[in-house]
Amino acid sequence: MFRPLLALLALVLLVHTTGHSPTWSETHRNDVATGTFKIVNTGGFVEEDGIRRALATDTAMGTVKMSPVPGTGDLLLEISGSRMELFAMEKGLSEFFWDPKDTNLLHGSDILDLSAKNSLEDVSAWAARIEWPNLGKVTLVLFNYDPASYGGFLISNPSKKTVVRQMEFHQLHGPRHRANNLFKSPRPEHRR
């Protein structure tokens, strides 16, 4: 069941990511952080012959640099010497379908709670079919939790399998939220 949905996703992403997105609006600039982020895999699964099994937890962290593509709403990612352009999804994360059933992946309601948004359309998102180091062609979807963190899904299809990795990207600079400034922060509860 997941494989046909993934094929549909790839088609939707190809339709929505052929060309550049409109320029970054001032609101979009304020809502989306750029700079250097730490990246970690937080979950995932492998599906083969309709059977899903969880991926082992990977505690290794990497570093990724994100910057806006001038004149567009797109994001440029630089990781391990590779540069990847992700195209803005006009209707936010509502343009992406994923099936978290029976997995440890985030559900849509989890993402809304984490981002303090009312609908997935309000969650800024980017996607592309790109070449990923050591994995080949993958679909990468990135979405914004808050002004200093992102979530993402990396979907690959090695050897007639579907592998879905869930990722988090966090900036690790600036003041951390502590109990004494809990109610002063404009960030959603999950970052306090």
Side-chain angles (χ1 to χ4, degrees):
M1 176 173 163
F2 188 77
R3 194 172 304 277
L5 294 174
L6 194 58
L8 177 62
L9 163 70
L11 177 63
V12 168
L13 287 176
L14 284 174
V15 169
H16 287 288
T17 61
T18 54
H20 295 285
S21 308
T23 341
W24 286 56
S25 68
E26 211 45 52
T27 306
H28 197 115
R29 280 184 213 277
N30 294 335
D31 190 36
V32 176
T34 55
T36 303
F37 291 77
K38 289 294 182 185
I39 178 176
V40 65
N41 288 327
T42 57
F45 65 88
V46 175
E47 182 172 307
E48 187 172 19
D49 298 324
I51 298 170
R52 292 183 181 183
R53 63 179 169 76
L55 285 173
T57 303
D58 181 2
T59 57
M61 291 185 88
T63 302
V64 61
K65 183 177 179 187
M66 293 186 208
S67 56
V69 176
T72 73
D74 303 339
L75 275 178
L76 182 65
L77 274 61
E78 296 178 58
I79 183 169
S80 303
S82 297
R83 294 167 56 100
M84 306 163 216
E85 186 171 345
L86 276 66
F87 303 98
M89 299 169 84
E90 289 182 25
K91 294 183 181 177
L93 196 54
S94 69
E95 290 186 40
F96 175 69
F97 174 80
W98 72 102
D99 180 7
K101 183 180 176 187
D102 299 327
T103 71
N104 58 357
L105 297 183
L106 291 168
H107 290 67
S109 58
D110 298 323
I111 293 169
L112 292 177
D113 287 344
L114 292 169
S115 65
K117 302 288 185 183
N118 294 319
S119 75
L120 291 177
E121 191 168 333
D122 296 332
V123 177
S124 298
W126 300 262
R129 182 101 172 118
I130 57 177
E131 198 69 33
W132 189 268
N134 303 320
L135 293 179
K137 283 281 190 193
V138 301
T139 300
L140 176 60
V141 177
L142 190 69
F143 50 92
N144 192 223
Y145 285 135
D146 64 35
S149 61
Y150 294 84
F153 296 111
L154 185 71
I155 304 160
S156 59
N157 297 100
S159 308
K160 299 184 181 179
K161 295 182 227 177
T162 298
V163 180
V164 178
R165 291 174 178 85
Q166 178 175 274
M167 304 171 292
E168 287 194 16
F169 302 74
H170 297 281
Q171 284 185 321
L172 300 178
H173 61 79
R176 303 303 295 161
H177 299 295
R178 303 288 184 230
N180 64 348
N181 68 357
L182 180 64
F183 298 104
K184 297 176 188 172
S185 174
R187 294 200 181 153
E189 186 66 29
H190 80 287
R191 293 291 159 238
R192 295 189 188 150

